[in-house]
Amino acid sequence: MAKQMDYATLREVFTRFQAIEPEPKGELEHTNAFTLVVAVALSAQATDAGVNKATRGLFAVADTPEKMLALGEEGVIEHIKTIGLYRNKAKNVIKLSRILVEQYGGEVPNSRAALESLPGVGRKTANVVLSMWWKHPAQAVDTHIFRVGNRTGICPGKDVVAVERAIEDNVPVDFQTHAHHWLILHGRYTCVARKPKCNACVIRDLCQFEDKTT
């Protein structure tokens, strides 16, 4: 695990990320808060591209909790059966849709605790929704961010909660809203797991990774 970067270095890191991608966007397709919740829940152990392919047809017919309930579990399965764990995910989509209708008037709540109470929605999913839809500076730590954070020293931590806290405590506040998007994109396309593309990395000189590729 790398040592936590100091403030000045972190500011330079995120200044460079911002220069490349001023307004980073999540890659999951959605049209409202509900379809975002469903898409993120479906993305567990699946690729964003695979989820998008499945949800285009699903959201065309069911973009609200009420329509999803009308479609039913078997109807959801027909659309998402190309995604891993699709049966369990379909069950959760129907359950969370019912809760949204019965307890929240069909609206997606915008508190972390309420979101985490929905079936199939964990802390990471809740943070993604809070960040992407409500622009709340919530840090959704996935495998990419965990790897990048510990490898570079941007936000080291022994588990996802520690990494999440390291971002919140150390990254300058003016970069907090987009921090997790920049880190995900960096981990997905540059600081990859097996052979990081250090030669193409904009923060190579600031990164603490000892085994940089040449």
PDB file of all heavy atoms in Angstrom, residues 25 27 34 82 88 91 120 147 154-155 169:
ATOM      1  N   LYS A  25     -18.424  11.574 -17.110  1.00  0.00           N
ATOM      2  CA  LYS A  25     -19.766  10.993 -16.968  1.00  0.00           C
ATOM      3  C   LYS A  25     -19.650   9.494 -16.723  1.00  0.00           C
ATOM      4  O   LYS A  25     -18.739   8.842 -17.222  1.00  0.00           O
ATOM      5  CB  LYS A  25     -20.584  11.226 -18.250  1.00  0.00           C
ATOM      6  CG  LYS A  25     -20.802  12.698 -18.609  1.00  0.00           C
ATOM      7  CD  LYS A  25     -21.875  13.328 -17.734  1.00  0.00           C
ATOM      8  CE  LYS A  25     -22.311  14.685 -18.261  1.00  0.00           C
ATOM      9  NZ  LYS A  25     -21.304  15.726 -18.226  1.00  0.00           N
ATOM     10  N   GLU A  27     -20.725   5.654 -17.394  1.00  0.00           N
ATOM     11  CA  GLU A  27     -20.970   5.031 -18.692  1.00  0.00           C
ATOM     12  C   GLU A  27     -22.255   4.203 -18.742  1.00  0.00           C
ATOM     13  O   GLU A  27     -22.607   3.659 -19.789  1.00  0.00           O
ATOM     14  CB  GLU A  27     -19.753   4.183 -19.080  1.00  0.00           C
ATOM     15  CG  GLU A  27     -18.491   5.047 -19.247  1.00  0.00           C
ATOM     16  CD  GLU A  27     -17.263   4.267 -19.659  1.00  0.00           C
ATOM     17  OE1 GLU A  27     -17.189   3.057 -19.388  1.00  0.00           O
ATOM     18  OE2 GLU A  27     -16.358   4.885 -20.259  1.00  0.00           O
ATOM     19  N   PHE A  34     -34.665   6.411 -11.317  1.00  0.00           N
ATOM     20  CA  PHE A  34     -35.049   5.004 -11.194  1.00  0.00           C
ATOM     21  C   PHE A  34     -34.233   4.114 -12.129  1.00  0.00           C
ATOM     22  O   PHE A  34     -33.702   3.076 -11.710  1.00  0.00           O
ATOM     23  CB  PHE A  34     -36.542   4.833 -11.483  1.00  0.00           C
ATOM     24  CG  PHE A  34     -36.979   3.391 -11.542  1.00  0.00           C
ATOM     25  CD1 PHE A  34     -36.985   2.594 -10.410  1.00  0.00           C
ATOM     26  CD2 PHE A  34     -37.358   2.814 -12.755  1.00  0.00           C
ATOM     27  CE1 PHE A  34     -37.365   1.252 -10.455  1.00  0.00           C
ATOM     28  CE2 PHE A  34     -37.743   1.484 -12.816  1.00  0.00           C
ATOM     29  CZ  PHE A  34     -37.744   0.695 -11.669  1.00  0.00           C
ATOM     30  N   THR A  82     -28.849 -11.914 -20.430  1.00  0.00           N
ATOM     31  CA  THR A  82     -27.450 -11.932 -20.889  1.00  0.00           C
ATOM     32  C   THR A  82     -26.493 -11.447 -19.806  1.00  0.00           C
ATOM     33  O   THR A  82     -25.274 -11.508 -19.971  1.00  0.00           O
ATOM     34  CB  THR A  82     -27.283 -11.031 -22.135  1.00  0.00           C
ATOM     35  OG1 THR A  82     -27.755  -9.715 -21.821  1.00  0.00           O
ATOM     36  CG2 THR A  82     -28.074 -11.583 -23.314  1.00  0.00           C
ATOM     37  N   ASN A  88     -31.497 -13.570  -9.844  1.00  0.00           N
ATOM     38  CA  ASN A  88     -31.497 -12.884  -8.549  1.00  0.00           C
ATOM     39  C   ASN A  88     -31.638 -11.372  -8.728  1.00  0.00           C
ATOM     40  O   ASN A  88     -32.338 -10.701  -7.967  1.00  0.00           O
ATOM     41  CB  ASN A  88     -30.206 -13.201  -7.791  1.00  0.00           C
ATOM     42  CG  ASN A  88     -30.264 -12.761  -6.347  1.00  0.00           C
ATOM     43  OD1 ASN A  88     -31.204 -13.110  -5.625  1.00  0.00           O
ATOM     44  ND2 ASN A  88     -29.294 -11.980  -5.914  1.00  0.00           N
ATOM     45  N   LYS A  91     -35.228 -10.471  -9.498  1.00  0.00           N
ATOM     46  CA  LYS A  91     -36.009 -10.537  -8.256  1.00  0.00           C
ATOM     47  C   LYS A  91     -35.829  -9.250  -7.453  1.00  0.00           C
ATOM     48  O   LYS A  91     -36.801  -8.672  -6.944  1.00  0.00           O
ATOM     49  CB  LYS A  91     -35.550 -11.754  -7.440  1.00  0.00           C
ATOM     50  CG  LYS A  91     -36.462 -12.136  -6.289  1.00  0.00           C
ATOM     51  CD  LYS A  91     -36.014 -13.469  -5.686  1.00  0.00           C
ATOM     52  CE  LYS A  91     -36.188 -14.589  -6.692  1.00  0.00           C
ATOM     53  NZ  LYS A  91     -35.854 -15.922  -6.104  1.00  0.00           N
ATOM     54  N   GLY A 120     -30.735  -5.285  -3.299  1.00  0.00           N
ATOM     55  CA  GLY A 120     -29.749  -5.236  -4.369  1.00  0.00           C
ATOM     56  C   GLY A 120     -28.965  -3.943  -4.442  1.00  0.00           C
ATOM     57  O   GLY A 120     -28.133  -3.762  -5.333  1.00  0.00           O
ATOM     58  N   ARG A 147      -7.856  -0.192  -6.470  1.00  0.00           N
ATOM     59  CA  ARG A 147      -6.529  -0.468  -7.033  1.00  0.00           C
ATOM     60  C   ARG A 147      -5.740   0.826  -7.237  1.00  0.00           C
ATOM     61  O   ARG A 147      -4.592   0.943  -6.800  1.00  0.00           O
ATOM     62  CB  ARG A 147      -6.671  -1.213  -8.364  1.00  0.00           C
ATOM     63  CG  ARG A 147      -5.330  -1.496  -9.051  1.00  0.00           C
ATOM     64  CD  ARG A 147      -5.506  -2.269 -10.341  1.00  0.00           C
ATOM     65  NE  ARG A 147      -6.184  -1.507 -11.387  1.00  0.00           N
ATOM     66  CZ  ARG A 147      -7.451  -1.712 -11.777  1.00  0.00           C
ATOM     67  NH1 ARG A 147      -8.190  -2.632 -11.195  1.00  0.00           N
ATOM     68  NH2 ARG A 147      -7.980  -0.988 -12.737  1.00  0.00           N
ATOM     69  N   ILE A 154      -3.070   7.989  -4.036  1.00  0.00           N
ATOM     70  CA  ILE A 154      -4.132   9.006  -4.069  1.00  0.00           C
ATOM     71  C   ILE A 154      -5.081   8.833  -2.892  1.00  0.00           C
ATOM     72  O   ILE A 154      -5.451   9.790  -2.218  1.00  0.00           O
ATOM     73  CB  ILE A 154      -4.913   8.951  -5.403  1.00  0.00           C
ATOM     74  CG1 ILE A 154      -4.014   9.392  -6.563  1.00  0.00           C
ATOM     75  CG2 ILE A 154      -6.155   9.852  -5.339  1.00  0.00           C
ATOM     76  CD1 ILE A 154      -4.644   9.199  -7.935  1.00  0.00           C
ATOM     77  N   CYS A 155      -5.489   7.589  -2.649  1.00  0.00           N
ATOM     78  CA  CYS A 155      -6.434   7.324  -1.552  1.00  0.00           C
ATOM     79  C   CYS A 155      -6.251   5.896  -1.046  1.00  0.00           C
ATOM     80  O   CYS A 155      -7.105   5.044  -1.259  1.00  0.00           O
ATOM     81  CB  CYS A 155      -7.881   7.561  -2.002  1.00  0.00           C
ATOM     82  SG  CYS A 155      -8.304   6.790  -3.585  1.00  0.00           S
ATOM     83  N   ASP A 169     -11.616  12.683   2.979  1.00  0.00           N
ATOM     84  CA  ASP A 169     -10.801  13.436   3.935  1.00  0.00           C
ATOM     85  C   ASP A 169      -9.652  14.210   3.289  1.00  0.00           C
ATOM     86  O   ASP A 169      -9.213  15.224   3.834  1.00  0.00           O
ATOM     87  CB  ASP A 169     -10.206  12.485   4.986  1.00  0.00           C
ATOM     88  CG  ASP A 169     -11.255  11.930   5.937  1.00  0.00           C
ATOM     89  OD1 ASP A 169     -12.393  12.425   5.899  1.00  0.00           O
ATOM     90  OD2 ASP A 169     -10.928  11.000   6.695  1.00  0.00           O
TER      91      ASP A 169
END
